[in-house]
Amino acid sequence: MANLSRVLSVLAAAALGALVAWLLLRPASFRQPDTAVVVEQMREVARLETLDVALYKKVVFTPEPQATDALWKDVLLWASYTLKNPHGRAIVFADAHLGFDFQRFDASHLHATGTRVDVLLPPMVVTVALRPGETEVIDSNLDSAQTAQLLEKARLAFEREVREDARLKDKARQSAERSLRGLLLTLGFREVRFVETLPLGTAG
């Protein structure tokens, strides 16, 4: 009987231990947060996740004669450009900003199933701002309007280059995904996936 009692005690202790372990290790109940709250918090995080890149380049500008309706004015205009030979060179500095347009981000960009959430990022936005205080104009006889054209040409060229730079865009995307994944995990989701498309009829 003593042996039987010891066996029963061991079994009871094992059963109790298993019950305690199950209670401690079982997944906590998960209640999905309100979608509107999630969207707003993601917008706030995304605003801080713009990739900033410093740029500079030497640019050359030679204005082309502008066409008009009057033949003689065209001749005179062409002559004035030929004689004065307007030209300019400058070393232009700028800051490029790469981020996602989270003003267009809403519940239709999310799909949650239990503790998993799929995220469809909005389009990437690239903006370039010149740093006029650091721009160095050299060897130029351009007037103020032509100088403004020179700087705008440089800004557009910078913007086009950044838009076509796959490495920079990938770096910006990884940075945004990393921060947004951290936010969603703190909200209780256990799996965060960034997708190119959401299943039809399941967005939100």
Side-chain angles (χ1 to χ4, degrees):
M1 290 295 293
N3 289 336
L4 180 59
S5 297
R6 282 197 295 271
V7 171
L8 292 176
S9 296
V10 171
L11 291 176
L16 180 60
L19 177 61
V20 171
W22 179 79
L23 290 172
L24 292 176
L25 298 177
R26 67 173 179 168
S29 59
F30 172 69
R31 181 179 179 182
Q32 287 186 6
D34 182 73
T35 302
V37 174
V38 175
V39 168
E40 186 57 34
Q41 292 191 30
M42 292 181 70
R43 285 176 176 172
E44 290 298 324
V45 169
R47 288 191 186 102
L48 303 176
E49 280 304 319
T50 300
L51 177 65
D52 297 322
V53 182
L55 308 167
Y56 75 93
K57 181 170 290 189
K58 180 183 289 186
V59 294
V60 179
F61 177 66
T62 303
E64 296 293 336
Q66 300 297 310
T68 67
D69 293 332
L71 176 61
W72 287 108
K73 286 185 178 181
D74 284 344
V75 173
L76 292 175
L77 187 60
W78 175 84
S80 68
Y81 275 109
T82 302
L83 294 174
K84 295 181 181 179
N85 185 30
H87 61 275
R89 290 184 298 156
I91 301 176
V92 182
F93 293 82
D95 292 310
H97 310 281
L98 296 87
F100 291 89
D101 186 7
F102 268 79
Q103 293 301 316
R104 298 172 58 181
F105 186 84
D106 55 27
S108 67
H109 291 76
L110 292 174
H111 173 58
T113 304
T115 59
R116 190 188 76 194
V117 60
D118 292 340
V119 181
L120 176 63
L121 291 175
M124 184 171 289
V125 177
V126 176
T127 59
V128 172
L130 298 181
R131 288 186 276 172
E134 299 182 33
T135 295
E136 180 182 355
V137 178
I138 52 179
D139 186 26
S140 174
N141 65 354
L142 305 180
D143 58 28
S144 58
Q146 292 166 340
T147 300
Q149 292 179 47
L150 167 67
L151 296 179
E152 178 61 12
K153 176 183 178 182
R155 188 190 68 79
L156 293 174
F158 278 139
E159 189 172 291
R160 184 169 59 252
E161 286 183 359
V162 173
R163 288 184 187 278
E164 295 174 355
D165 193 322
R167 181 184 61 83
L168 285 178
K169 291 193 296 184
D170 185 60
K171 186 175 180 180
R173 184 181 183 91
Q174 289 182 18
S175 178
E177 289 183 359
R178 184 165 52 249
S179 295
L180 293 172
R181 178 177 284 107
L183 168 66
L184 292 168
L185 291 176
T186 63
L187 294 176
F189 293 103
R190 296 191 173 185
E191 182 182 0
V192 180
R193 303 192 310 179
F194 293 92
V195 297
E196 296 299 326
T197 59
L198 291 174
L200 293 176
T202 60

